[in-house]
């Protein structure tokens, strides 16, 4: 254990003592925690009667008892009442809350996502949790804000942190936001841009251990952001930035992690010199105008028709142009139509009569359209044009069957152009010449085909899925592991719990842990959780810090554990505050101190940098107001570069104007540290491609000072 001297000195600040007075008095055991008071409010009824009551009746009883609780709490706070003076009812308020949480679990609406799934029957909502609560770790945390570590008369025993694997952290997959994954279109994307529902590259483990791992695509089920300490693992094939608990696969199919005990699967300690599995390095490029022109050239010269026909009328001949592009793949047709429209040739899809069949396609007999398409399909010399040309040519003429990708054609000029493009892109191929068959280009090795897809972006899915089931596995040697510090990281949850990130095979889910390595998973019920809480307090923890990820999806087990807990300790809710109004009603009477994150000052930034899809600002602000009326509070705000005007200042404004700023503390944090963003995705992440600079931090501090917000003791 190490001591944080500020845990002692912070309590010399009278404002800290005043603003955190309730929390401090519970920490020092001078007052009972609110959950203890809840146990002394209730009815003289048999608790079994709760089971017979309907939910509306339970809520109405809840609201009545909440009034009583608040009166008792106020009297205890003022010192006019002590807990000993209150009788212990047979049916206490806390049991009622636990029963309500159980009822809510049947149609889950613990958080603002309001999934409505029946988690009691194993259904899972957005957070992916069923009935069980899972704890990845619990410990005495000495990295939290100084007042949360103890001191002021209490031993500096740290914050008794219980880390739930839930909404934000059910999968312990945390890597830097710019780390690349590969979508099922073979477009590489940074994790920060991946959306729920996207399909990304992964591997499947064969039933027989000696068989190869096979490439597959898996759906992203959830994505979350959190802040964590990260490491850069440098290998002979490239780097990956990840958290200490995050495992990657080695060549012997063992999971390696920097901190194996915290890994979600049975893992071995990662060290320099170890050999890990490697697949393909994600690569990306921007599809610009030259790319579209190249694509149209490959597609139209491969599968289109551009010709002339003559009409005789009144003894004279009239020549008309004729363009058609009729293909069976709608993705191909739509791409050509889209690119033509973007480049100034809007054409409607029409039914084209082929005598014995009618197909959909693009048709025009207009000279201006014809001339424009001729101009658009003129060869260019840029790399981007060749990328597009190869994609369009492959979509028109290519196939991926058996073990090779082939593009046959009778036009030698087109094949020459394709060869030149492949040379420029550095993709190995074979030019096959036949006497009785069309000459063709062949790309045989899986990793070369993957590179072809990533460097050209063909559009027809059935062809792009041709690599599923193939094994593309090489190895890389770990050269160096370096601690980078704390920064925002992303969690993804996928269908099979595994996916490929930066070319490395990574594991991401507690489910796999529980089902395959049960000794590593900790499923906690109310009894076990109460035992953890009691142990942490007895060992000197200043509080019980309920955190994740997000503790909210575990509300039913948390409330039930407090029913069992008979040790006085402040309850700290360390949350993103996206709880539903009903969850807040249950929480406000048991939480002694709130430690909410308030990151984004507007919903646009929140949508861009999180899983999105919710009214972030509205929800958090409403919950903060409710929380402040019912407990002490330290709000955390992470300053991000270029987000001072749009996020930091609006957040501080809301704290100053919408909340009672004189009764709370704000931790203005400057730990944001992006890596490699400018080099890799300058156009995607220009705003957060660096640390916040000193000027931005000063601006944030000055603004907070101007607004009269107290932040110095905890920032
Ligand atoms: S906790 Fe939230 S995300 Fe999870 S199932 Fe319930 S409502 Fe959905």
């Amino acid at each position: 254990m190490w001591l944080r001297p500020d845990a002692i000195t912070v309590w010399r600040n009278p404002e800290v003592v005043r603003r955190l007075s309730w929390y401090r008095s519970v920490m020092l055991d001078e007052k009972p925690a609110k959950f203890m008071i809840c146990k002394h409010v209730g009815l003289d009824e048999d608790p079994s009667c709760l089971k017979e009551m309907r939910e509306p009746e339970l809520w109405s009883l809840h609201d009545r008892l909440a009034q009583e609780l608040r009166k008792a709490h106020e009297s205890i706070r003022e010192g006019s009442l002590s807990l000993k003076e209150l009788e212990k009812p047979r049916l206490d308020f806390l049991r009622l809350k636990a029963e309500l949480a159980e009822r809510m679990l049947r149609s889950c609406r613990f958080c603002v996502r309001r999934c409505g799934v029946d988690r009691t029957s194993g259904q899972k909502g957005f957070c992916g949790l069923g009935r069980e609560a899972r704890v990845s770790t619990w410990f005495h945390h000495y990295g939290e804000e100084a007042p949360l570590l103890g001191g002021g008369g209490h031993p500096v025993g740290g914050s008794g942190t219980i880390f739930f694997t839930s909404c934000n952290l059910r999968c312990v997959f945390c890597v830097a936001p710019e780390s690349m994954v590969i979508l099922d279109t073979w477009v590489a994307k940074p994790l920060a841009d991946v959306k729920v529902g996207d399909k990304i590259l992964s591997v499947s483990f064969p039933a027989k251990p000696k068989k190869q791992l096979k490439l597959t695509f898996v759906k992203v089920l959830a994505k979350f952001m959190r802040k964590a300490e990260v490491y850069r693992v440098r290998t002979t094939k490239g780097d990956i930035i990840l958290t200490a608990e995050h495992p990657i696969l080695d060549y012997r199919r063992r999971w390696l992690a920097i901190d194996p005990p915290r890994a979600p699967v049975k893992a071995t300690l990662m060290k320099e010199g170890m050999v890990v599995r490697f697949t393909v390095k994600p690569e990306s490029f921007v599809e610009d105008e030259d790319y579209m022109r190249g694509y149209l050239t490959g597609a139209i010269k491969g599968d289109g028709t551009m010709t002339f026909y003559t009409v005789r009328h009144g003894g004279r001949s009239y020549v008309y142009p004729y363009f058609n592009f009729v293909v069976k793949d709608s993705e191909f047709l739509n791409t050509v139509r889209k690119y033509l429209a973007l480049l100034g040739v809007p054409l409607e899809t029409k039914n084209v009569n082929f005598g014995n069949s009618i197909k959909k396609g693009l048709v025009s007999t207009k000279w201006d359209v014809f001339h424009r398409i001729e101009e658009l399909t003129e060869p260019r010399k840029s790399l981007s044009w060749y990328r597009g040309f190869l994609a369009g040519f492959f979509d028109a003429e290519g196939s991926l069957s058996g073990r090779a990708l082939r593009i046959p054609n009778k036009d030698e000029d087109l094949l020459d152009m394709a060869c030149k493009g492949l040379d420029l892109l550095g993709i190995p191929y074979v030019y096959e010449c036949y006497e009785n068959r069309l000459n063709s280009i062949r790309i045989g090795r899986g990793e070369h085909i993957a590179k072809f897809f990533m460097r050209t972006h063909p559009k027809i899915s059935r062809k792009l899925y041709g690599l599923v089931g193939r094994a593309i596995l090489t190895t890389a040697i770990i050269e160096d592991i370096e601690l980078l510090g704390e920064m925002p990281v992303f969690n993804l949850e996928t269908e099979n719990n595994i996916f490929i990130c930066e070319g490395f095979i990574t594991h991401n889910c507690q489910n796999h842990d529980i089902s395959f390595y049960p000794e590593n998973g900790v499923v906690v019920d109310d009894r076990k959780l109460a035992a953890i809480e009691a142990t942490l307090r007895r060992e000197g923890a200043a509080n019980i810090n309920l955190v994740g990820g997000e503790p909210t999806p575990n509300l039913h087990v948390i409330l039930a554990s407090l029913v069992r807990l008979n040790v006085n300790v402040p309850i700290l809710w360390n949350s993103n505050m996206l709880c539903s109004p009903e969850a807040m009603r249950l929480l406000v009477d048991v939480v002694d101190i709130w430690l909410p994150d308030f990151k984004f000052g507007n919903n646009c930034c929140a949508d861009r940098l999180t899983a999105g899809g919710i009214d972030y600002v509205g929800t958090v602000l409403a919950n903060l107001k409710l929380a402040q009326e019912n407990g002490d509070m330290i709000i955390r705000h992470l300053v991000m570069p270029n987000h001072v005007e749009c996020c930091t200042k609006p957040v501080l404004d809301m704290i100053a104007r919408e909340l009672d700023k004189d009764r709370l503390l704000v931790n203005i944090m400057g730990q944001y540290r992006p890596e490699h963003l400018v080099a890799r995705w300058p156009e995607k992440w220009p705003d957060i491609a660096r640390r916040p600079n000193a000027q931005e931090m000063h601006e944030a501090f000055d603004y907070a000072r101007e607004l009269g917000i107290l932040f110095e003791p905890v920032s």
Side-chain angles (χ1 to χ4, degrees):
M1 190 182 91
W2 54 280
L3 186 69
R4 281 254 312 261
D6 56 336
I8 293 167
T9 54
V10 74
W11 293 112
R12 293 182 193 146
N13 184 327
E15 271 305 302
V16 174
V17 173
R18 184 181 70 78
R19 293 177 194 219
L20 303 183
S21 61
W22 174 256
Y23 159 71
R24 181 170 177 268
S25 62
V26 180
M27 177 182 75
L28 296 177
D29 270 333
E30 292 168 0
K31 302 280 184 199
K34 285 165 75 179
F35 79 90
M36 297 291 262
I37 306 176
C38 283
K39 294 184 185 191
H40 288 76
V41 169
L43 304 174
D44 193 21
E45 299 272 351
D46 188 335
S48 64
C49 74
L50 291 177
K51 298 282 174 213
E52 283 145 32
M53 291 169 78
R54 292 181 306 115
E55 197 178 320
E57 292 169 335
L58 291 174
W59 278 116
S60 124
L61 177 59
H62 177 277
D63 292 348
R64 184 155 66 79
L65 294 182
Q67 300 288 342
E68 282 181 37
L69 180 277
R70 279 161 214 173
K71 273 190 209 144
H73 174 231
E74 207 40 52
S75 304
I76 290 173
R77 174 197 276 277
E78 287 166 0
S80 57
L81 182 72
S82 80
L83 201 60
K84 287 187 192 124
E85 293 171 62
L86 290 171
E87 293 276 308
K88 254 196 158 186
R90 281 199 294 158
L91 192 177
D92 68 58
F93 191 24
L94 207 48
R95 273 179 203 275
L96 171 60
K97 283 179 179 288
E99 177 64 27
L100 272 165
E102 275 296 317
R103 299 285 179 100
M104 282 168 68
L105 202 64
R106 293 177 199 168
S107 171
C108 189
R109 49 198 195 281
F110 281 169
C111 79
V112 71
R113 297 202 180 273
R114 305 187 81 82
C115 301
V117 293
D118 182 359
R119 288 174 54 192
T120 60
S121 68
Q123 286 181 7
K124 293 177 181 176
F126 186 84
C127 63
L129 276 187
R131 181 180 178 74
E132 289 170 335
R134 291 176 186 146
V135 166
S136 69
T137 182
W138 64 91
F139 54 95
H140 294 252
H141 196 342
Y142 291 91
E144 301 288 56
E145 286 78 353
L148 305 180
L149 308 182
H154 187 274
V156 181
S159 180
T161 305
I162 301 175
F163 206 78
F164 288 93
T165 56
S166 53
C167 262
N168 297 24
L169 207 62
R170 183 166 84 89
C171 39
V172 190
F173 177 81
C174 301
V175 294
E178 74 276 20
S179 301
M180 302 284 243
V181 295
I182 298 169
L183 301 185
D184 60 346
T185 51
W186 288 89
V187 172
K189 248 192 186 184
L191 269 180
D193 278 3
V194 173
K195 293 194 168 54
V196 172
D198 281 349
K199 286 197 163 183
I200 58 175
L201 194 64
S202 175
V203 291
S204 57
F205 279 76
K208 293 185 183 163
K210 288 198 175 160
K211 294 267 181 197
Q212 287 270 39
L213 303 181
K214 301 279 171 59
L215 289 186
T216 185
F217 290 107
V218 292
K219 199 189 268 182
V220 175
L221 301 177
K223 173 189 164 185
F224 306 97
M225 191 175 87
R226 70 172 179 128
K227 202 179 61 188
E229 205 159 64
V230 295
Y231 295 77
R232 184 205 310 276
V233 178
R234 205 186 304 276
T235 78
T236 46
K237 295 270 174 69
D239 303 352
I240 182 167
I241 296 171
L242 40 74
T243 50
E245 68 270 26
H246 177 72
I248 56 177
L249 198 70
D250 83 346
Y251 79 110
R252 289 162 59 190
R253 296 193 192 176
R254 293 177 308 174
W255 292 106
L256 305 181
I258 296 162
D259 187 356
R262 284 170 55 205
V265 287
K266 187 174 183 177
T268 304
L269 181 66
M270 188 189 296
K271 292 182 199 156
E272 282 95 351
M274 283 182 152
V275 181
V276 292
R277 299 254 178 178
F278 192 78
T279 54
V280 281
K281 181 106 188 123
E283 296 177 29
S284 64
F285 66 90
V286 176
E287 295 177 13
D288 57 10
E289 182 181 332
D290 266 12
Y291 175 87
M292 291 191 276
R293 282 172 175 264
Y295 188 90
L296 289 175
T297 309
I300 292 170
K301 289 198 187 292
D303 258 350
T305 303
M306 290 190 73
T307 186
F308 302 94
Y309 65 96
T310 307
V311 175
R312 291 189 179 280
H313 183 66
R316 297 182 63 180
S317 297
Y318 298 90
V319 177
Y320 291 98
Y322 179 69
F323 162 76
N324 92 18
F325 185 78
V326 182
V327 289
K328 67 175 186 215
D329 282 291
S330 59
E331 288 160 318
F332 191 22
L333 180 65
N334 290 338
T335 304
V336 168
R337 190 164 76 89
K338 182 174 93 182
Y339 287 173
L340 282 173
L342 286 170
L343 295 172
V345 190
L347 290 176
E348 287 304 316
T349 307
K350 290 182 180 162
N351 289 330
V352 184
N353 194 339
F354 281 88
N356 56 355
S357 65
I358 292 178
K359 293 182 181 166
K360 289 205 178 299
L362 306 172
V363 179
S364 177
T365 54
K366 292 183 182 161
W367 278 110
D368 58 337
V369 169
F370 195 83
H371 286 320
R372 178 68 177 148
I373 293 174
E374 271 187 328
E375 192 257 314
L376 289 175
T377 52
E378 281 294 311
R380 293 194 165 194
K381 291 197 171 131
S382 68
L383 186 63
S384 191
W385 186 87
Y386 278 105
R387 289 182 195 274
F389 171 76
L390 284 166
F393 194 36
F394 172 73
D395 279 347
E397 302 289 337
S399 64
L400 175 52
S401 56
R403 301 198 61 77
L405 178 154
R406 277 199 172 76
I407 313 177
N409 205 273
K410 62 175 184 286
D411 187 331
E412 290 295 320
D413 289 342
L414 287 178
L415 287 176
D416 283 349
M417 250 187 296
C419 291
K420 184 159 183 210
L422 291 170
D423 289 337
L424 285 171
L425 291 171
I427 300 168
Y429 63 93
V430 176
Y431 189 91
E432 296 177 323
C433 294
Y434 299 102
E435 282 193 4
N436 305 323
R437 273 167 51 191
L438 296 177
N439 292 345
S440 70
I441 289 167
R442 180 169 65 83
I443 302 175
R445 291 177 65 115
E447 57 262 48
H448 298 156
I449 298 171
K451 277 183 187 163
F452 176 83
F453 287 163
M454 273 191 290
R455 291 174 186 177
T456 66
H457 294 177
K459 309 294 181 215
I460 301 176
S461 321
R462 67 180 168 79
K463 296 188 183 184
L464 295 172
Y465 268 68
L467 274 181
V468 168
R470 292 274 299 260
I472 305 179
L473 296 168
T474 57
T475 54
I477 300 167
I478 296 174
E479 294 180 324
D480 178 36
I481 301 169
E482 176 196 1
L483 175 63
L484 295 179
E486 202 168 63
M487 64 184 284
V489 288
F490 278 97
N491 309 323
L492 288 191
E493 182 196 339
T494 64
E495 280 173 320
N496 73 347
N497 316 315
I498 295 165
F499 66 94
I500 292 170
C501 184
E502 289 292 338
F504 300 93
I505 299 169
T506 61
H507 186 282
N508 77 328
C509 186
Q510 293 290 325
N511 280 346
H512 190 273
D513 176 26
I514 299 303
S515 50
F516 287 85
Y517 303 101
E519 71 274 20
N520 280 344
V522 182
V523 175
V524 291
D525 59 8
D526 50 343
R527 189 185 300 267
K528 169 93 177 159
L529 187 56
I532 294 170
E533 290 159 349
T535 306
L536 284 168
R537 178 62 165 176
R538 287 197 188 106
E539 289 173 353
N543 47 63
I544 295 302
N545 183 344
L546 300 162
V547 66
E550 176 56 38
T552 308
N554 305 288
L555 184 58
H556 56 303
V557 180
I558 290 170
L559 288 173
S561 78
L562 296 181
V563 171
R564 292 183 176 277
L565 185 63
N566 279 317
V567 178
N568 191 44
V569 59
I571 299 300
L572 185 157
W573 195 252
N574 186 341
S575 162
N576 57 27
M577 296 307 270
L578 295 174
C579 325
S580 66
E582 296 94 320
M584 283 301 288
R585 268 160 93 185
L586 297 181
L587 277 169
V588 290
D589 305 312
V590 297
V591 173
D592 297 289
I593 179 163
W594 304 81
L595 187 60
D597 277 335
F598 196 176
K599 284 194 180 83
F600 307 107
N602 64 82
N603 284 345
C604 286
C605 293
D607 277 346
R608 213 174 124 241
L609 299 173
T610 69
I614 49 171
D615 173 13
Y616 174 85
V617 172
T619 307
V620 172
L621 193 57
N623 284 340
L624 289 184
K625 285 181 186 173
L626 210 51
Q628 191 180 26
E629 285 167 21
N630 292 280
D632 298 342
M633 187 151 69
I634 302 175
I635 299 175
R636 287 174 164 176
H637 173 70
L638 182 73
V639 178
M640 291 192 295
N642 293 306
H643 283 253
V644 172
E645 292 300 326
C646 59
C647 288
T648 297
K649 288 187 178 176
V651 162
L652 294 175
D653 274 334
M654 284 185 266
I655 291 172
R657 306 218 160 96
E658 309 270 345
L659 303 173
D660 182 354
K661 67 175 169 28
D662 296 329
R663 285 207 309 106
L664 53 82
L665 298 168
V666 178
N667 181 0
I668 301 175
M669 304 187 293
Q671 292 96 325
Y672 177 76
R673 292 178 197 186
E675 293 285 331
H676 293 167
L677 289 171
V678 174
R680 285 189 181 173
W681 280 86
E683 71 282 6
K684 292 270 181 193
W685 298 96
D687 53 338
I688 53 168
R690 58 173 173 79
R691 294 181 187 195
N693 57 33
Q695 190 191 337
E696 284 166 326
M697 290 310 298
H698 282 136
E699 214 177 317
F701 291 145
D702 289 347
Y703 198 71
R705 244 178 242 117
E706 263 174 47
L707 293 170
I709 289 171
L710 185 62
F711 62 90
E712 291 92 342
V714 289
S715 295

